[in-house]
Amino acid sequence: MTQYQRNRISPEDRQRIGAAIRNAEAQTGGEIYAVLAQRSDDYFYVSGFIACCGMLVTAVIAAFVAHYYWFDLSLPKFALAILAAFICLIVLLALIPALRMVLVPHRVRYRRAHLNAVQQFVARNVHLTSKRTGILLFVSLAERYAEVVADAGINARVDQQEWNAIVATLSRHAAQGTVSEGFIEAIDKAGKLLAQHFPKEAGDENELEDHLVEL
């Protein structure tokens, strides 16, 4: 069973996550938004570039080895062999997305996932709450990446370090294939933390939709 299948969100899970957000926001003037991405990029061009570089290095080494052992290979045949290898690599990367993740460095994956989190924060208008007290709980499964993005009003009072336990909760559950439980637990923790700094006040309105967004 793949990680995608294990982390599939059921309609019941969506309802539970929505209820968890409403319960958490009942304690605070903050707003909680949850986003789950299966992947933050297709990585086709990145993995293709890395694979081609590796192929070219291998071809150069093979040429020197062939020369050392006096193995005669004409230039046209050598070029055709490289072309065939290139086509095979591209076909494999196109047909097997999981292979791309193996080739892409962790730093690149995390950078793309972080960029996606920030883009979702802006695209979902989490930054437009009246008191700038919105947070985004973000998980990208393929990259095994989780992040909490907080708006300016929250960053002024809550240090990013205080979100580490929530990020760890999301990451642990995603790795175990229980991402819905991870969101519910993280939402509860986020609600309690926000309630300490931004308790519910009269007139506070719900400014963001209370459900999980899946990408």
Side-chain angles (χ1 to χ4, degrees):
M1 182 178 293
T2 66
Q3 184 164 329
Y4 174 86
Q5 291 170 325
R6 289 188 289 113
N7 279 299
R8 190 179 296 277
I9 304 295
S10 68
E12 293 76 16
D13 290 332
R14 295 186 188 94
Q15 292 177 0
R16 293 171 59 217
I17 292 171
I21 294 175
R22 288 189 291 274
N23 291 337
E25 291 181 350
Q27 313 169 54
T28 175
E31 295 283 342
I32 301 173
Y33 206 87
V35 174
L36 173 66
Q38 293 300 327
R39 64 180 64 246
S40 292
D41 196 295
D42 64 11
Y43 299 104
F44 181 77
Y45 293 107
V46 176
S47 60
F49 174 76
I50 293 173
C52 288
C53 288
M55 181 195 69
L56 291 175
V57 171
T58 302
V60 171
I61 294 173
F64 277 102
V65 170
H67 178 74
Y68 180 81
Y69 287 102
W70 292 46
F71 182 77
D72 186 21
L73 182 64
S74 66
L75 184 58
K77 290 182 179 179
F78 187 68
L80 286 174
I82 293 177
L83 178 60
F86 172 78
I87 293 173
C88 289
L89 278 174
I90 296 303
V91 170
L92 285 173
L93 291 175
L95 296 178
I96 310 176
L99 181 60
R100 305 173 200 168
M101 300 302 298
V102 176
L103 296 173
V104 177
H106 288 283
R107 181 181 301 178
V108 175
R109 296 187 218 169
Y110 293 164
R111 187 181 299 128
R112 295 291 175 87
H114 169 69
L115 178 61
N116 192 14
V118 173
Q119 289 174 336
Q120 292 302 314
F121 183 82
V122 174
R124 306 294 173 177
N125 295 326
V126 184
H127 66 302
L128 294 181
T129 58
S130 58
K131 297 181 181 179
R132 305 296 298 275
T133 54
I135 67 166
L136 175 75
L137 304 182
F138 177 84
V139 174
S140 191
L141 293 176
E143 292 82 2
R144 300 182 181 180
Y145 181 89
E147 183 176 359
V148 177
V149 184
D151 204 350
I154 293 177
N155 282 332
R157 300 189 193 180
V158 184
D159 191 89
Q160 181 64 33
Q161 295 299 320
E162 296 194 57
W163 301 114
N164 285 350
I166 295 174
V167 172
T169 295
L170 291 168
S171 299
R172 184 180 74 255
H173 279 280
Q176 295 172 350
T178 54
V179 69
S180 58
E181 299 299 329
F183 270 111
I184 291 171
E185 185 177 338
I187 290 165
D188 179 65
K189 290 181 178 180
K192 291 177 180 177
L193 180 58
L194 288 173
Q196 296 176 15
H197 299 276
F198 305 94
K200 193 77 172 181
E201 297 179 357
D204 281 339
E205 297 181 359
N206 186 19
E207 300 179 67
L208 299 175
E209 296 178 340
D210 300 329
H211 65 83
L212 175 70
V213 173
E214 297 179 74
L215 305 176

